Amino acid sequence: MFNHNHYVPILKWKMGEYQALSRLSDPIKAKITPLLEIPPVGFDFETQTKKETVDSHIGDFGKRLKSKWQARPCFVDLKYLAASPMCAGGKHCVDVLFETARAEGCVAIPVVSFSSDPAFVSAVATVARQDRHGVCLRLYMADFDRPNLGTDVENLLRPAADGWGECDLVIDLEAQTYVPMTVFVTIMQTLMAKVPALNRWRTVTIAGTSYPATVAGIQSPSFIPRMEWQSYRSLLPTLGSVGRIPSFGDYAVAHPSPVELDMRLVKPFAKMRYTVTDHWYYEKGAQVRSHGFGQFQTMCANLAAAPFFAGAGFSAGDAYIADCAAGKVTTGNLSTWVWVSTNHHLTKVVSDLAIAHGLSVAA
């Protein structure tokens, strides 16, 4: 389906993230296969109940996916829903969600892992057999401690696929420090060496992030190292000319852990996150409830004047930053700045991968 010249961002299926995907240029979209995580059903802290049913939470997935990503391939992981969640009529949520994608002609590939319960694995197998788009296995670092990893992988995937060529692999390192880098590069080599039939998988991706769980103690403005990208670049020369080169994946400008906050108590700050080659530029403003979103215009003006700003033509996110700095667009809300930062990040990574692999890319 794709080789190492491709990018696999792991994104929560929320407004800011899917708007970021939708607003990418077509050449950038062609270089990306996102792994979309369906977020947990929201919790209403005031009533102490779930905000909606599982049915309503996933019911519009197919239409929204078609609207934002059309028929381009994507991986879809429902790991954050409760174990064996059932929808109306006794159907498993996996069956229901992929029915909505199938009805819209979307190419949605189900994700399974060793943490998936038997009912989930069975539902994924049914979907994979019906859609014939294959299946994606998500391996975590702890999985490599299995004494019979190869056999366990074959047993997990056999119901869903007729061979390695129908299976995609994502080695998800989740949140790491990647320090010391030389040691971590060796760890990544070791993990890849333990993958059964490494050269026979349809695709192989190694993903992770060093984005901090909290930016509360980080000075503003500052540059936060993108250690996952630096480590991936350091890994490439060690693979030789015959070894399998994995695709690169990350969590864009977010930490992997989903966060459910009581917005009655939270006082969010304005923040700007902007990806440069080896770092994220981070700037923190004041609380938006007391100081408003107008402060983003000043933050955008500062960024647009910086030597590392890619220019308004680089991405839709960059165009919005330039227009906000000039007062041509509104300063939006928190979701606005998620799509802006994510859209720029996705475009930047595709461009950087092209350079890393000696290619050219049209942004």
Side-chain angles (χ1 to χ4, degrees):
M1 188 166 67
F2 58 78
N3 60 15
H4 57 273
N5 303 320
H6 210 72
Y7 174 36
V8 182
I10 301 174
L11 304 172
K12 301 290 187 292
W13 187 243
K14 293 183 175 182
M15 180 180 293
E17 286 81 352
Y18 58 66
Q19 294 289 51
L21 283 172
S22 176
R23 292 166 179 165
L24 292 169
S25 69
D26 285 344
I28 298 299
K29 288 178 179 177
K31 293 289 187 179
I32 290 177
T33 299
L35 193 161
L36 307 175
E37 297 181 329
I38 305 303
V41 176
F43 188 76
D44 189 323
F45 287 89
E46 186 170 356
T47 63
Q48 293 294 298
T49 60
K50 296 287 186 181
K51 291 182 179 179
E52 57 186 343
T53 65
V54 174
D55 293 78
S56 59
H57 185 60
I58 66 176
D60 66 348
F61 175 77
K63 289 183 178 179
R64 182 163 288 162
L65 181 63
K66 180 63 177 294
S67 171
K68 304 303 179 182
W69 197 239
Q70 293 78 51
R72 297 178 178 88
C74 61
F75 304 122
V76 183
D77 196 338
L78 287 81
K79 71 173 188 173
Y80 287 119
L81 298 188
S84 299
M86 306 305 290
C87 291
K91 287 187 174 181
H92 196 281
C93 68
V94 169
D95 294 313
V96 172
L97 181 135
F98 283 91
E99 280 180 4
T100 71
R102 189 180 307 122
E104 299 295 330
C106 299
V107 182
I109 301 165
V111 177
V112 70
S113 71
F114 283 118
S115 63
S116 305
D117 65 48
F120 189 101
V121 173
S122 177
V124 164
T126 299
V127 167
R129 292 290 183 183
Q130 182 169 355
D131 290 343
R132 307 306 303 177
H133 296 322
V135 63
C136 175
L137 173 63
R138 197 170 177 181
L139 284 181
Y140 299 94
M141 288 188 71
D143 295 327
F144 288 89
D145 278 335
R146 289 173 170 264
N148 300 302
L149 178 62
T151 300
D152 292 345
V153 167
E154 288 192 50
N155 290 339
L156 181 64
L157 295 179
R158 187 177 296 113
D162 292 327
W164 302 105
E166 297 180 2
C167 302
D168 302 286
L169 174 64
V170 174
I171 302 172
D172 188 355
L173 307 176
E174 300 181 282
Q176 301 289 339
T177 63
Y178 293 87
V179 176
M181 187 181 299
T182 53
V183 173
F184 209 88
V185 167
T186 302
I187 291 173
M188 290 191 287
Q189 291 173 307
T190 302
L191 296 181
M192 289 185 61
K194 295 189 69 172
V195 172
L198 178 63
N199 291 318
R200 293 164 59 190
W201 293 79
R202 181 167 61 178
T203 67
V204 175
T205 301
I206 191 160
T209 189
S210 58
Y211 194 85
T214 177
V215 291
I218 296 178
Q219 184 179 355
S220 172
S222 63
F223 289 91
I224 303 170
R226 290 174 56 213
M227 298 301 295
E228 69 283 355
W229 172 242
Q230 296 181 41
S231 296
Y232 178 79
R233 289 209 332 268
S234 296
L235 173 68
L236 293 179
T238 72
L239 298 176
S241 59
V242 295
R244 178 127 192 198
I245 302 174
S247 301
F248 173 74
D250 64 13
Y251 283 82
V253 289
H255 189 269
S257 300
V259 179
E260 185 77 18
L261 301 174
D262 186 345
M263 296 309 294
R264 300 172 303 171
L265 307 176
V266 174
K267 297 179 179 179
F269 287 79
K271 59 184 177 182
M272 184 69 68
R273 298 167 295 177
Y274 189 80
T275 306
V276 296
T277 300
D278 285 331
H279 299 79
W280 292 284
Y281 169 75
Y282 170 74
E283 183 179 357
K284 179 180 178 181
Q287 292 179 4
V288 294
R289 288 186 180 178
S290 54
H291 293 81
F293 286 91
Q295 58 190 302
F296 274 102
Q297 184 173 1
T298 300
M299 296 170 75
C300 284
N302 294 338
L303 177 54
F308 51 82
F309 181 59
F314 184 73
S315 72
D318 288 276
Y320 199 95
I321 291 169
D323 286 345
C324 183
K328 296 179 180 179
V329 296
T330 70
T331 51
N333 53 33
L334 295 178
S335 182
T336 300
W337 299 102
V338 172
W339 87 252
V340 167
S341 61
T342 304
N343 179 274
H344 166 78
H345 178 92
L346 301 179
T347 305
K348 175 63 174 170
V349 172
V350 169
S351 178
D352 286 349
L353 277 170
I355 295 171
H357 293 300
L359 304 172
S360 61
V361 63

